[in-house]
Every structure is written in structure tokens, then in C-alpha cells.
Amino acid sequence: MSESLCNSCYWAHIQQGFADSEEAILRASLRQAHSVPFKVSQCTDYSDKRVPSRRDMEEIGWIIRTKDMNRQVGFAKKEESHLNEEGEMEIVPTE
């Protein structure tokens, strides 16, 4: 049997005892918490806690500043991409 989505959901509160039968799962989001008495295979409110949220990504993102305001920074556009001999992306400065 496959694993329940609740095990990786941000909204799930899981309490587990020592025996396999000792498990309580509560779903607690913006609505009132309620018990989930079965393994979940699909859920419309599923939010994978293993994947960083947009806010998390914004917090760890780098702000790149240059002295020259006209110099472009960041990723090259598709038509300007630079591939090395193995077909892998090569990091090159923009001018």
C-alpha cells in the first residue's frame, strides 16, 4: 500500500504512537482542524512541505547589484544561451 499524502503535507498534524495502529492525523489549515481517519491518495488542499514555497524562495534568493546600471545581470535569454561541447550550459558574463 502506498504512503498517505498527509505524511508530506504542510497542513497535516500527525501524532504516531509505538504501534502501527496508534496514529492520529489532523488536518489543520485555515479552517477548523478535523480528523482524517484513512490514508489519503488525493487532496485538493495538498501542499507539499518538502518543496520550498514562493516566500521561502524569495527569502533565500540573491539580490545582484552592479555599479554599472546599464549592465544586464541574471540568466541569458534562450537565443543567447551558451552551450559547451557537451551540450551543458556554460556560465559567461553578460556585456
Side-chain angles (χ1 to χ4, degrees):
M1 179 167 257
S2 59
E3 188 175 294
S4 175
L5 280 181
C6 296
N7 293 341
S8 60
C9 184
Y10 176 80
W11 301 114
H13 174 78
I14 301 172
Q15 293 177 327
Q16 197 160 22
F18 293 102
D20 289 338
S21 61
E22 298 176 335
E23 181 178 69
I25 299 175
L26 293 176
R27 188 194 179 287
S29 65
L30 301 175
R31 296 181 227 127
Q32 185 177 3
H34 65 275
S35 176
V36 180
F38 50 85
K39 288 188 176 187
V40 176
S41 65
Q42 294 182 7
C43 181
T44 57
D45 293 327
Y46 177 72
S47 178
D48 194 339
K49 66 183 175 185
R50 301 169 295 182
V51 177
S53 67
R54 177 180 174 177
R55 183 176 178 197
D56 294 336
M57 296 298 285
E58 288 173 348
E59 286 181 15
I60 63 172
W62 293 357
I63 297 173
I64 301 173
R65 293 189 173 95
T66 63
K67 292 181 182 177
D68 182 7
M69 296 299 284
N70 296 325
R71 182 174 175 208
Q72 289 184 336
V73 295
F75 297 101
K77 295 178 184 171
K78 188 173 184 177
E79 60 271 5
E80 298 173 5
S81 67
H82 300 276
L83 300 177
N84 63 14
E85 294 172 1
E86 291 82 30
E88 297 174 348
M89 185 63 76
E90 181 181 357
I91 298 174
V92 296
T94 58
E95 295 177 311

